[in-house]
Amino acid sequence: EQAADGRAMGTLDLICTVIRHVHLTCELHNPIDALAVRQVRRGLRRTYSSAPRRLARPLSVEEIRQIVDAIDRNTPIGIRDAAMILLGYASALRRSELVALTLTDIEDKPAGLMLHIRRSKTDPEGHGEVVGVAHGQHAATDPVAAINAWREIRGIAPGPVFTRIWGSTVSQ
């Protein structure tokens, strides 16, 4: 039933684990060990786990412009959010890489910025990589100008680039 509803095999495995745990905790027979259940799971794995995943299409520049235009860039939250969106889009960073950036990871260059990525999903050994971000063609979508505006508000205290904002106070 769960597979027919489109659940992933990982989710089905988790459901079976929970069922197994509850039965063992209550000292009941574990239905997951039954031959019929194992055969059904094996068949589901053959049927559903090899199905190609539909990749999300990337946002276009026009869609990014619409998103950024909807942000009130007169507030610290708006300035931070616009900087995150524009820098993330221009650098093609994952969310985890973007939020892991510290002020020391950003190097200003005449043509833009150099971002030092310490660790990423594709770099489990932590060798790091350097990503360049060029100035944008339009002021409203320039990632370098957006991050510089945020850094002016954020201050120079060491720590993460993108910090919390409590009310009107920017945390360090």
Side-chain angles (χ1 to χ4, degrees):
E1 184 179 295
Q2 295 289 319
D5 287 344
R7 302 281 189 248
M9 280 308 300
T11 303
L12 298 177
D13 290 340
L14 180 64
I15 291 169
C16 288
T17 301
V18 170
I19 291 170
R20 178 182 180 278
H21 174 74
V22 169
H23 280 78
L24 292 177
T25 303
C26 296
E27 297 181 5
L28 298 173
H29 170 70
N30 178 14
I32 302 302
D33 288 340
L35 177 63
V37 173
R38 288 197 319 259
Q39 288 175 335
V40 168
R41 289 180 70 195
R42 196 173 314 132
L44 288 173
R45 193 168 305 285
R46 275 195 310 270
T47 304
Y48 291 108
S49 70
S50 63
R53 290 189 174 200
R54 185 176 60 91
L55 295 176
R57 69 170 181 78
L59 292 174
S60 68
V61 174
E62 183 56 39
E63 290 168 326
I64 291 292
R65 187 172 288 122
Q66 287 176 347
I67 292 168
V68 173
D69 285 346
I71 296 173
D72 179 9
R73 293 171 84 171
N74 295 317
T75 66
I77 292 174
I79 293 170
R80 181 202 57 198
D81 292 352
M84 286 182 81
I85 291 168
L86 292 172
L87 186 65
Y89 184 77
S91 62
L93 293 180
R94 290 178 174 83
R95 290 180 303 194
S96 59
E97 297 163 350
L98 193 61
V99 299
L101 285 175
T102 64
L103 286 181
T104 57
D105 295 331
I106 299 176
E107 185 180 348
D108 291 301
K109 296 288 185 179
L113 301 171
M114 298 297 285
L115 305 177
H116 299 271
I117 311 304
R118 297 168 193 242
R119 180 176 291 251
S120 75
K121 179 177 160 184
T122 57
D123 179 27
E125 290 84 30
H127 297 296
E129 101 181 88
V130 178
V131 176
V133 177
H135 287 281
Q137 295 178 354
H138 304 286
T141 56
D142 182 1
V144 177
I147 194 68
N148 288 338
W150 168 243
R151 288 194 293 182
E152 284 180 23
I153 291 173
R154 187 212 172 278
I156 60 170
V161 173
F162 299 108
T163 58
R164 291 183 178 179
I165 300 174
W166 299 99
S168 60
T169 305
V170 178
S171 66
Q172 298 297 323

